[in-house]
Amino acid sequence: MILSSLGRIIERVGDEALVLDVGGWAKPFTRADWVLDQMPYETRGLYGRDGVEEERFSSETWVRRDICDHTPWPFPDKKFDYAVCSHTLEDVRDPIWVCHELVRVAKAGYIEVPSRLEEQSYGVQGPWVGWGHHHWLVDIVPGQVRFAFKHHVLHNRPSDHFPPGFHERLSQDDRVQCMWWEDGFEFREQILVGPEEVDSYLADFVTENLRARPLPAPSRPRHLQRLGALARRRRG
């Protein structure tokens, strides 16, 4: 979770609010009273913690289960004042179901997912596009989250991804998309029918953003620069 959002959530929820962290195993939100994740409590914190205070949740309030199993989560409607779901929706097989349950069990919440600027960048994790374990490209627009299948063609076609080096110029805020919601939000899968729709969805985004964020022209190697300078002096 980006630091600016972390501080804002702490200020917003107050000490009395009941808070749920959905999918927080790798980096649990320490302010959460409850955590819902398929991984065990004892192995939590692979990437550290979100928050500096002591964990408010415990092994008793760590619910281990598959959040996509199409069985309602074991909480009554609107049990939680606030729910956090950070860098989880892009990973799971059915983010639509997760969103459905989020708005059922919580009155308000925060969602954070990778931006398409990062997820369509080559070299973020290795010699491929975006993060290898992510299933979805996500678009957050006012009041709605849209999920599009992360089509494999984007790994090979230069038109469909940002070139090497692009992601290194992104700020931490550029790398994510955030949604702050109250009383629910809309969510849907963006189904792309046919190659024309896939091509447009992937390539148009890259073209528009490269136009707005052009990469600097590559510099020539130093030895070629020196040879060029020498040739210019001789001509002079």
Side-chain angles (χ1 to χ4, degrees), residues 40-58:
Y41 170 82
E42 294 75 17
T43 63
R44 70 194 183 283
L46 177 65
Y47 301 127
R49 304 288 191 277
D50 276 328
V52 296
E53 65 273 9
E54 293 292 322
E55 294 174 348
R56 288 183 47 146
F57 59 85
S58 67

Side-chain angles (χ1 to χ4, degrees), residues 223-236:
H223 71 282
L224 294 180
Q225 295 179 27
R226 289 196 293 269
L227 288 174
L230 180 61
R232 287 192 295 273
R233 285 198 295 270
R234 287 177 175 174
R235 287 198 299 270

Side-chain angles (χ1 to χ4, degrees), residues 68 88-90 92-100 136 147 187:
C68 297
T88 295
L89 294 174
E90 69 278 3
V92 298
R93 68 183 183 278
D94 192 352
I96 302 298
W97 174 260
V98 176
C99 288
H100 172 273
W136 305 95
F147 302 93
F187 44 90

